[in-house]
């Protein structure tokens, strides 16, 4: 029973809804449930609770209270799930991007990376001449070959090579041979335009390389290494 | 297996009923005198007649010495609006306070001298006035009922006198937390629509309803096509019809200004309302989804589904051998004090739900397992569960009709809902035709991944957030 009879000032009488058999109720009769000038204060019965009108927040399909909500329920759910799914994908992708950016900031910086490539102006190298550059701590040979040298190298029989490689496999443009100037025997630097084959000669142990950088005579087992390079235009090569 | 035994039993029973072979009958000596199948087939028929003004008269002659006769009317809180919500309830209070021909004391004397009981109830879609009396007093009963309904005096002084009674009743209902919880469930589930209104009406209306409001209510809703005069017991249908003709022919079937009140559909909103009061000892929580209407074919599978979940309270002695899984959990984990699965169906919609009473530390677990039971129904319910549910449902349908009053009520409500009385044999057949796949499909249609409506009263701090409860309405599968 409501025990509000004797407590007009307390909070909503519903909070006091315990089972008090207040005899005073019988005499209070009609007066007990008449609100004592409380503006919107005392709620007397659960039927007085008004569910607020949420029309401002409703989707258009469910604003009309006289229309069943079943018909639109599938559509509304699909929309919600699609939206959530798309947002999740975008969110995960953004998170991945942010994390990658932070983690990759710890990798090598641009100036360090720049040292890994070298750009060479080919116009500076006359025909028949070999120029040496320092690249990644090693000597890099760039040789401007003559027609005669190209023809000679291309005509070599692969059977007589210790490390058989056709000239075409070792060059992009036959006019230019670009190899690492490190002897494959024990790492000395061969001398250009020396040796018996018109290429390079390693003075340490007498390895002879030809104009394509292939080993022809001497203790070295492999041809001179060909790095990755490309010709962004006619006059330049970028190695690395 | 139980289902097939049942089916075999019923076919055998039907065969026996046809043959009445004395040898076979004697073989069944020692069993119940009438088999279930026989009793279904042999149930008395409900006879239905309509008067000229549209009022329907229905009765079932059961051979009892007593009878229940009453008027069932399609009127209720759903037909009210904000201003007159509670008029039907108030009217029910005024009904027995005297009619034009019999002032209050005379009416009471008439009823008491017959040794009869005169009662009434109002629900959201139905109103009923009925009298339980001896079968021989049927004519008097019908006369008194006709007066109560048609010519209630609605005395101004009486109305004023009844106001505090109604207010006191409102106050008293506040202590019945189950009703409060279910009322709030309707209020939030059908918010903004007439179905969300409670039968009792707000206390303001109880204070301000006038005689004119009540008269208008009667004039707009107590119309012959919406009324059924139902009776069950030792009644003769022809006698009842002639009584109806003489007393109820005057009930009008026309509306003022031709304004026939049509029921528009009521929108269901997945929502929640929490009335938190930590001083109450136990929490009452109800969770429901939109269910099937009374006339929908899905009603039967949903009723079977509810029987599978079943009900429970602390007085059940089954312990961990109770058949419903949720009940077993309730016992083993001490989840709740009681729970019941319910389905309130109205003419075009319904509420399918679970209501439970739990201690404040177990609300979260109980809600989890209740929704788990729902998910189980939608996905993995088994043959044996379904067979058990069907049997329980059949038993309860039969068991409810244990007297002239429940039978009369059944007749009245059926005729208002379906236009005819659905006999037990038909219920039986409809229940039998369900297999687990049908059950899963129907339950998925109503329960799976739908927004529920939740109402909670009491120390409900532990009740999960609505989004958590919404997430529990589906399982991450595929």
């Amino acid at each position: 029973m409501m025990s509000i009879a004797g407590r007009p000032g307390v909070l909503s009488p519903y909070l006091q809804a315990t089972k008090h058999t207040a005899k005073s109720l019988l005499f209070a009769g009609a007066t007990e449930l008449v609100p004592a000038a409380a503006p919107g204060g005392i709620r007397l019965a659960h039927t007085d609770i008004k569910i607020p009108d949420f029309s401002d927040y409703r989707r258009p399909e469910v604003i009309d209270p006289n229309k069943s909500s079943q018909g639109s329920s599938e559509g509304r759910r699909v929309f919600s799930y699609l939206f959530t799914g798309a947002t999740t994908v975008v969110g995960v992708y953004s998170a991945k991007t942010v994390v990658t950016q932070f983690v990759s900031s710890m990798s090598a910086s641009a100036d360090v990376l720049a040292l890994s490539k070298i750009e060479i102006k080919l116009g500076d190298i006359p025909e028949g001449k070999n120029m040496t550059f320092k690249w990644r701590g090693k000597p890099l040979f760039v040789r401007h070959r003559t027609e005669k040298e190209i023809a000679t190298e291309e005509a070599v029989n692969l059977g007589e090579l210790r490390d058989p490689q056709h000239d075409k496999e070792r060059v992009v443009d036959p006019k230019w041979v670009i190899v690492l100037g490190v002897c494959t025997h024990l790492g000395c630097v061969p001398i250009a335009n020396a040796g018996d084959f018109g290429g390079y000669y390693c003075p340490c142990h007498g390895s002879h390389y030809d104009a394509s950088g292939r080993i022809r005579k001497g203790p070295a087992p492999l041809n001179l290494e060909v790095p990755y390079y490309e010709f962004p235009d006619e006059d330049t090569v970028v190695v690395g | 297996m139980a289902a097939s035994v049942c089916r075999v039993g019923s076919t055998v029973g039907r065969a026996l009923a046809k043959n009445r072979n004395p040898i076979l009958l004697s073989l069944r000596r020692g069993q119940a005198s009438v088999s279930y199948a026989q009793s279904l087939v042999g149930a008395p028929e409900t006879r239905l007649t309509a008067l000229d003004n549209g009022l329907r008269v229905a009765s079932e002659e059961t051979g009892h010495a007593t009878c229940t006769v009453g008027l069932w009317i399609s009127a209720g809180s759903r037909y009210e609006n904000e201003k007159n919500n509670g008029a039907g309830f108030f009217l029910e209070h005024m009904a027995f306070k005297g009619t034009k021909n019999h002032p209050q004391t005379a009416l009471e004397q008439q009823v008491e001298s017959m040794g009869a009981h005169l009662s009434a109830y109002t629900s959201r879609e139905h109103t009923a006035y009925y009298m339980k009396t001896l079968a021989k007093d049927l004519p008097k009963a019908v006369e008194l009922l006709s007066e109560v309904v048609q010519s209630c005096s609605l005395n101004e002084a009486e109305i004023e006198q009844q106001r505090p009674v109604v207010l006191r009743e409102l106050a008293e209902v506040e202590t019945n937390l189950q009703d409060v919880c279910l009322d709030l469930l309707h209020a939030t589930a059908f918010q903004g629509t007439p179905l969300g209104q409670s039968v009792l009406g707000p206390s303001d209306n109880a204070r301000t309803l006038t005689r004119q409001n009540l008269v208008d209510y009667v004039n707009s809703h107590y119309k012959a096509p919406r009324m059924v005069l139902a009776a069950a017991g030792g009644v003769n249908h022809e006698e009842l019809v002639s009584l109806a003709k003489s007393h109820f022919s005057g009930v009008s079937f026309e509306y003022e200004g031709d304004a026939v009140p049509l029921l528009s559909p009521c929108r269901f909103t997945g929502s929640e309302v929490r009335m938190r009061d930590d001083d109450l000892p136990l929490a009452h929580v109800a969770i429901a989804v939109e269910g099937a209407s009374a006339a929908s074919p899905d009603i039967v599978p949903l009723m079977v589904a509810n029987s599978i979940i079943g009900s429970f309270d602390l007085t059940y002695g089954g312990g961990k051998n109770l058949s419903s899984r949720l009940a077993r959990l309730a016992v083993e984990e001490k989840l709740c004090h009681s729970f019941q699965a319910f389905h309130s169906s109205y003419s075009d919609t319904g509420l399918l739900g679970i209501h439970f009473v739990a201690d404040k530390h177990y609300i979260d677990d109980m809600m989890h397992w209740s929704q788990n039971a729902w998910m189980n129904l939608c996905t993995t319910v088994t043959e044996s569960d379904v067979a058990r549910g069907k049997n329980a449902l059949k038993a309860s349908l039969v068991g409810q009709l244990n007297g002239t009053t429940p039978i009369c009520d059944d007749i009245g409500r059926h005729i208002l809902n379906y236009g005819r009385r659905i006999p037990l044999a038909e219920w039986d057949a409809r229940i039998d035709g369900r297999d687990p796949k049908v059950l899963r499909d129907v339950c998925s249609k109503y329960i799976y991944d739908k927004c529920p409506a939740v109402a909670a009263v009491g120390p409900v701090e532990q009740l999960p957030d609505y989004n958590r409860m919404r997430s529990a309405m589906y399982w991450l599968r595929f």
Side-chain angles (χ1 to χ4, degrees):
Chain A
M1 281 302 198
M2 298 265 116
S3 63
I4 37 163
R7 306 195 205 184
V10 178
L11 294 171
S12 165
Y14 192 74
L15 291 179
Q16 310 296 322
T18 48
K19 296 200 193 285
H20 292 178
T21 45
K23 291 206 185 68
S24 59
L25 276 175
L26 289 173
F27 296 98
T31 57
E32 115 223 340
L33 280 176
V34 175
I42 300 178
R43 180 177 26 82
L44 306 167
H46 72 273
T47 46
D48 293 332
I49 296 173
K50 286 191 75 61
I51 305 277
D53 176 29
F54 289 110
S55 301
D56 289 341
Y57 303 92
R58 282 180 180 273
R59 295 198 195 169
E61 308 92 68
V62 286
I63 287 188
D64 183 5
N66 296 326
K67 216 161 75 104
S68 166
S69 59
Q70 285 293 358
S72 57
S73 84
E74 171 116 23
R76 284 180 280 126
R77 256 182 299 140
V78 164
F79 173 78
S80 287
Y81 287 151
L82 271 179
F83 209 86
T84 311
T87 310
T88 308
V89 168
V90 170
V92 169
Y93 180 73
S94 316
K96 170 240 169 200
T97 307
V98 167
V99 169
T100 326
Q101 280 169 350
F102 276 105
V103 169
S104 61
S105 74
M106 294 190 287
S107 61
S109 59
D111 60 342
V112 168
L113 287 172
L115 294 173
S116 72
K117 285 194 182 172
I118 184 171
E119 191 178 314
I120 302 169
K121 283 231 331 239
L122 297 170
D124 295 337
I125 310 174
E127 242 194 37
K129 223 20 196 71
N130 181 84
M131 277 201 79
T132 312
F133 300 92
K134 179 169 174 222
W135 176 69
R136 292 189 185 174
K138 291 178 280 216
L140 183 76
F141 291 156
V142 179
R143 189 192 185 104
H144 188 170
R145 296 202 292 195
T146 62
E147 290 296 333
K148 210 156 94 42
E149 282 174 343
I150 296 171
T152 316
E153 295 309 328
E154 284 185 354
V156 169
N157 181 1
L158 292 178
E160 56 185 57
L161 290 173
R162 182 174 304 157
D163 181 11
Q165 270 186 315
H166 195 276
D167 187 56
K168 286 197 189 54
E169 294 169 37
R170 295 178 54 77
V171 294
V172 172
D173 175 359
K175 281 197 355 200
W176 300 97
V177 151
I178 301 175
V179 291
L180 280 178
V182 175
C183 179
T184 53
H185 177 231
L186 288 179
C188 290
V189 181
I191 302 168
N193 290 325
D196 297 338
F197 296 86
Y200 305 91
Y201 172 73
C202 179
C204 293
H205 306 97
S207 302
H208 297 255
Y209 298 89
D210 63 18
S212 184
R214 295 177 287 196
I215 180 65
R216 300 296 278 271
K217 194 156 91 170
L222 299 168
N223 301 336
L224 292 176
E225 187 185 333
V226 180
Y228 176 77
Y229 57 89
E230 44 186 40
F231 293 91
D233 57 58
E234 268 297 316
D235 201 37
T236 335
V237 64
V238 174
V239 183
Chain B
M1 201 201 76
S4 50
V5 167
C6 230
R7 246 178 254 131
V8 166
S10 60
T11 37
V12 167
R14 244 174 249 132
L16 283 175
K18 284 194 202 110
N19 292 341
R20 297 210 187 282
N21 185 321
I23 297 177
L24 286 173
L25 281 175
S26 67
L27 279 177
R28 297 174 56 247
R29 223 185 307 139
Q31 293 180 7
S33 52
V34 177
S35 78
Y36 173 64
Q38 278 182 322
S39 66
L40 285 187
V41 170
E45 194 196 323
T46 307
R47 299 184 49 197
L48 177 62
T49 324
L51 298 185
D52 288 335
N53 60 2
L55 188 130
R56 285 163 287 185
V57 182
S59 74
E60 179 178 316
E61 188 161 355
T62 62
H64 287 99
T66 57
C67 71
T68 304
V69 59
L71 259 172
W72 268 257
I73 309 170
S74 266
S77 65
R78 188 171 175 179
Y79 294 84
E80 297 166 1
N81 57 41
E82 246 181 83
K83 296 200 185 53
N84 71 351
N85 180 213
F89 183 67
F90 208 110
L91 197 59
E92 193 195 314
H93 272 256
M94 296 303 302
F96 307 140
K97 298 290 174 224
T99 68
K100 291 199 175 71
N101 294 341
H102 292 91
Q104 181 171 357
T105 34
L107 178 67
E108 285 169 3
Q109 210 191 23
Q110 290 272 334
V111 172
E112 290 298 318
S113 63
M114 284 199 296
H117 294 263
L118 179 56
S119 5
Y121 71 75
T122 320
S123 78
R124 289 189 156 82
E125 280 189 337
H126 302 313
T127 306
Y129 300 92
Y130 60 97
M131 193 172 327
K132 297 150 60 137
T133 175
L134 291 173
K136 67 176 174 62
D137 290 324
L138 184 68
K140 193 78 193 150
V142 176
E143 184 197 331
L144 288 174
L145 278 173
S146 77
E147 282 188 30
V148 160
V149 168
Q150 292 178 82
S151 47
C152 189
S153 59
L154 293 175
N155 194 315
E156 291 269 8
E158 266 299 333
I159 291 182
E160 290 312 313
Q161 226 234 0
Q162 279 299 309
R163 275 193 217 284
V165 176
V166 171
L167 289 170
R168 241 193 332 265
E169 199 167 328
L170 279 179
E172 206 178 302
V173 164
E174 295 306 309
T175 58
N176 182 347
L177 292 182
Q178 173 168 337
D179 282 351
V180 168
C181 183
L182 291 172
D183 257 354
L184 286 176
L185 183 68
H186 281 85
T188 189
F190 295 113
Q191 54 187 256
T193 72
L195 259 185
Q197 290 164 176
S198 155
V199 172
L200 305 162
S203 54
D204 266 345
N205 285 10
R207 260 176 249 118
T208 56
L209 279 172
T210 62
R211 181 177 191 277
Q212 193 53 42
N213 291 127
L214 300 179
V215 167
D216 287 340
Y217 183 82
V218 171
N219 285 345
S220 24
H221 299 299
Y222 284 26
K223 297 291 176 191
R226 290 159 67 176
M227 289 176 156
V228 175
L229 178 69
V235 297
N236 178 285
H237 189 70
E238 280 77 21
E239 190 192 345
L240 188 66
V241 172
S242 64
L243 284 169
K245 282 205 177 94
S246 59
H247 292 292
F248 286 103
S249 297
V251 178
S252 104
F253 52 91
E254 281 160 344
Y255 293 87
E256 258 162 74
D258 271 339
V260 181
L262 286 171
L263 283 182
S264 45
C266 285
R267 166 195 66 193
F268 175 91
T269 308
S271 53
E272 68 166 2
V273 58
R274 298 173 189 224
M275 198 188 285
R276 180 172 168 186
D277 178 3
D278 288 341
D279 290 331
L280 292 173
L282 294 170
H284 286 246
V285 180
I287 178 170
V289 289
E290 188 167 9
S293 64
S296 155
D298 293 328
I299 267 272
V300 172
L302 289 178
M303 281 158 69
V304 175
N306 272 353
S307 308
I308 294 177
I309 298 185
S311 64
F312 165 80
D313 72 52
L314 286 177
T315 63
Y316 281 32
K320 54 181 173 1
N321 297 313
L322 286 167
S323 45
S324 149
R325 209 167 127 268
L326 189 57
R328 275 201 297 277
L329 285 162
V331 170
E332 284 167 7
E333 315 283 333
K334 299 194 197 1
L335 291 179
C336 64
H337 283 231
S338 70
F339 75 80
Q340 50 159 320
F342 64 87
H343 187 186
S344 312
S345 50
Y346 303 104
S347 56
D348 56 2
T349 180
L351 277 182
L352 171 72
I354 298 181
H355 166 268
F356 63 86
V357 180
D359 180 80
K360 62 184 176 208
H361 294 297
Y362 294 92
I363 303 174
D364 196 357
D365 285 340
M366 183 60 198
M367 178 58 80
H368 166 80
W369 287 113
S370 304
Q371 293 185 296
N372 185 281
W374 267 352
M375 288 298 103
N376 185 48
L377 277 177
C378 297
T379 58
T380 53
V381 70
T382 62
E383 274 277 359
S384 61
D385 283 333
V386 173
R388 180 176 54 77
K390 284 189 205 170
N391 282 342
L393 181 60
K394 288 182 197 170
S396 78
L397 281 177
V398 172
Q400 275 164 15
L401 298 175
N402 59 349
T404 59
T405 307
I407 296 179
C408 192
D409 186 57
D410 205 50
I411 296 176
R413 278 186 304 105
H414 277 208
I415 305 225
L416 286 180
N417 277 336
Y418 311 111
R420 62 185 179 97
R421 173 102 191 278
I422 300 187
L424 277 178
E426 189 178 331
W427 283 121
D428 198 69
R430 287 167 82 175
I431 293 171
D432 270 332
R434 309 293 160 199
D435 64 354
K437 173 104 190 5
V438 169
L439 210 71
R440 282 198 288 271
D441 290 341
V442 172
C443 286
S444 298
K445 178 174 156 195
Y446 287 95
I447 298 174
Y448 197 79
D449 200 18
K450 297 275 189 265
C451 293
V454 183
V457 180
V460 291
E461 181 181 4
Q462 213 195 36
L463 188 68
D465 182 66
Y466 185 80
N467 290 306
R468 302 289 326 127
M469 292 192 283
R470 174 65 180 86
S471 306
M473 301 295 288
Y474 60 85
W475 271 348
L476 292 170
R477 48 177 190 158
F478 315 107

